[in-house]
Amino acid sequence: MNIEAELKKDGIEIVGRLDTLSVNSIAKSVAEKICKAFPRAHFIYEELFIEFSRIPMYIAKMPEGFAEANYFYKNSSIYFKYGLSLQDLEKFAIHEIIHFIQEVKDSKGILYRLGLCEYGEFKTYGMALNEGAVQLATAKILDTKQDLVKYYDISLPTNSPNCYPILCNLVNQMAYLIGKDVLFDSTLFSTDEFKLKCINSFGKKNFFKIQANLDTLLNTEEKIILLNNELINENCEDIKTQKNARKVLEYKNNVKDVFIKTQNLIFTSYFDNEFNKIKTTQEIEFYRTKLYNYKNYLGITENYNVFNDYYIDKMMALEALFESITNNVALVVVKENKLTKFFKTLQTLFNIKKQTEKN
């Protein structure tokens, strides 16, 4: 099957090649923004501009609900949705050009790595993780401000409200715990550093479960888009419409369920693991602060209280650990009176809260 036939299979129909002036304008804009956003990557603007200006870019008709731009790795080309302004082209090109940067091919020209995504002989690993990471990098480049949005009955903070908001939220949770610099370095330069740090912090089994769950979310959302496209088709029969509507609802509930399970697995596996490493009262304070600030990254559904319960349990465990450490003079102790007072106050507040809920 040739490239054009493969594109048509995905609903992409080429209209024509993008003119050289527009391609150069996109290359200049994206190269400048990437260099500014990631100074530690030591990109050279002139080299990026030359590389980006050589990327084949096309205008094409695309199905409703799909991205305004798509990178097709089999011919290393970018396809833009027909009708976009040059300003929009420059904006939507960023995500796809990052994919171009990520490409790692073997001596035969076969792609085997794309950022955090690995292409095996029979299976692809980490595609959704990579898409979320690339979009987070895109949001950073565009300096998009964080917003609170609601999808699938999940209220969540994201700086990518219109593109992969669910994935971006979860990957951002991981980045908060592991480190955003290491996430972006591995994403841009296709290294294993972020993956290895995740395995060390979450546990190998948990990391691969999280990675698989992200792929499930990506695939399920794509199914929802396809079904929604069928629902707006005027020729869709009533019986099929009802069936598709039920299927969409089922998929949406599945997205919500997988999201919550993945979120819970991310923070419990990380903080359970880190708790076992605590040796000093300084580390207790660092752990407490990091766990407390995690609430700013959470996606919340109605009656969701898993994190609150987990937080309370960990605060009580930290109090016991603090007392154990302070009773061992061989260990480092700092601000013990202040910290002890904090734990006692916190325990009193939680006891009041639990008593109020019972009444």
Side-chain angles (χ1 to χ4, degrees):
M1 185 182 294
N2 61 34
I3 298 297
E4 197 162 336
E6 286 196 49
L7 291 169
K8 282 186 177 181
K9 186 179 177 183
D10 292 332
I12 299 174
E13 185 179 343
I14 298 174
V15 173
R17 188 149 183 167
L18 192 62
D19 64 276
T20 303
L21 191 63
S22 295
V23 171
N24 288 340
S25 179
I26 290 169
K28 179 178 183 297
S29 174
V30 177
E32 288 175 346
K33 287 181 171 64
I34 287 179
C35 288
K36 182 180 179 181
F38 299 106
R40 59 179 275 128
H42 302 296
F43 287 122
I44 299 173
Y45 164 75
E46 292 78 10
E47 292 180 359
L48 289 185
F49 171 75
I50 292 172
E51 286 188 56
F52 298 166
S53 64
R54 291 173 177 170
I55 301 174
M57 301 183 189
Y58 299 88
I59 301 298
K61 294 179 182 179
M62 298 184 186
E64 288 298 321
F66 279 76
E68 282 76 7
N70 282 277
Y71 182 74
F72 199 63
Y73 69 85
K74 289 188 177 180
N75 62 350
S76 300
S77 300
I78 299 175
Y79 298 85
F80 295 101
K81 192 172 186 178
Y82 178 77
L84 295 175
S85 66
L86 179 58
Q87 185 178 5
D88 285 336
L89 291 174
E90 291 175 358
K91 179 175 68 174
F92 294 124
I94 295 171
H95 184 108
E96 313 313 319
I97 286 178
I98 291 176
H99 281 320
F100 170 79
I101 293 173
Q102 292 181 315
E103 273 194 349
V104 181
K105 296 181 177 179
D106 63 19
S107 58
K108 296 180 180 179
I110 298 174
L111 181 73
Y112 67 88
R113 185 75 184 254
L114 197 69
L116 303 174
C117 179
E118 300 173 63
Y119 291 82
E121 186 176 356
F122 303 106
K123 191 174 181 180
T124 301
Y125 301 91
M127 179 177 287
L129 175 60
N130 188 59
E131 285 297 334
V134 169
Q135 187 53 33
L136 284 177
T138 300
K140 178 178 172 64
I141 291 167
L142 292 171
D143 194 25
T144 308
K145 304 306 178 186
Q146 185 168 279
D147 194 11
L148 187 65
V149 299
K150 191 171 185 176
Y151 288 96
Y152 312 107
D153 294 325
I154 308 167
S155 297
L156 52 87
T158 180
N159 55 0
S160 181
N162 300 314
C163 183
Y164 299 130
I166 298 291
L167 288 180
C168 284
N169 174 269
L170 291 172
V171 177
N172 202 33
Q173 290 185 35
M174 297 170 72
Y176 165 70
L177 299 174
I178 305 302
K180 290 189 177 181
D181 284 341
V182 67
L183 171 69
F184 291 137
D185 286 348
S186 286
T187 300
L188 293 170
F189 299 110
S190 299
T191 72
D192 282 331
E193 189 177 0
F194 181 73
K195 173 183 173 181
L196 293 175
K197 285 185 178 294
C198 283
I199 289 173
N200 182 59
S201 295
F202 301 128
K204 187 174 183 179
K205 182 179 178 181
N206 291 327
F207 169 71
F208 285 116
K209 179 61 177 175
I210 292 166
Q211 181 177 263
N213 283 358
L214 293 176
D215 286 333
T216 296
L217 289 170
L218 178 62
N219 293 333
T220 305
E221 288 198 90
E222 287 179 353
K223 291 176 183 177
I224 291 172
I225 292 172
L226 292 173
L227 286 173
N228 280 334
N229 284 341
E230 285 191 30
L231 285 171
I232 62 175
N233 187 335
E234 295 179 358
N235 298 322
C236 190
E237 298 177 0
D238 289 342
I239 296 177
K240 189 174 182 181
T241 297
Q242 294 174 12
K243 183 180 178 181
N244 285 352
R246 287 195 300 270
K247 204 69 178 173
V248 167
L249 181 59
E250 178 186 326
Y251 285 145
K252 285 183 176 181
N253 288 333
N254 188 42
V255 167
K256 181 169 66 173
D257 180 58
V258 174
F259 174 90
I260 293 299
K261 287 180 179 177
T262 306
Q263 174 174 270
N264 293 344
L265 181 58
I266 289 172
F267 72 75
T268 56
S269 60
Y270 177 85
F271 285 106
D272 284 352
N273 187 35
E274 291 300 306
F275 184 88
N276 295 327
K277 299 177 183 178
I278 296 174
K279 301 297 182 186
T280 68
T281 55
Q282 295 103 318
E283 290 171 348
I284 287 179
E285 180 60 20
F286 180 80
Y287 179 99
R288 181 197 68 77
T289 302
K290 194 165 189 177
L291 178 58
Y292 177 78
N293 289 334
Y294 193 82
K295 71 183 190 305
N296 299 322
Y297 295 83
L298 289 170
I300 304 296
T301 58
E302 188 177 1
N303 299 321
Y304 178 81
N305 56 15
V306 175
F307 180 77
N308 288 340
D309 292 343
Y310 183 85
Y311 182 81
I312 292 171
D313 289 341
K314 276 292 179 277
M315 289 301 103
M316 299 308 156
L318 285 176
E319 179 180 7
L321 183 58
F322 177 81
E323 292 178 358
S324 175
I325 290 175
T326 54
N327 288 331
N328 186 345
V329 294
L331 296 175
V332 179
V333 180
V334 293
K335 300 180 182 179
E336 61 180 86
N337 292 334
K338 185 177 178 181
L339 194 56
T340 302
K341 184 178 179 181
F342 165 78
F343 281 127
K344 289 180 179 178
T345 302
L346 184 67
Q347 186 172 16
T348 301
L349 289 174
F350 284 140
N351 286 338
I352 293 173
K353 178 177 180 295
K354 287 186 175 181
Q355 188 62 41
T356 302
E357 289 175 349
K358 289 179 181 177
N359 294 336

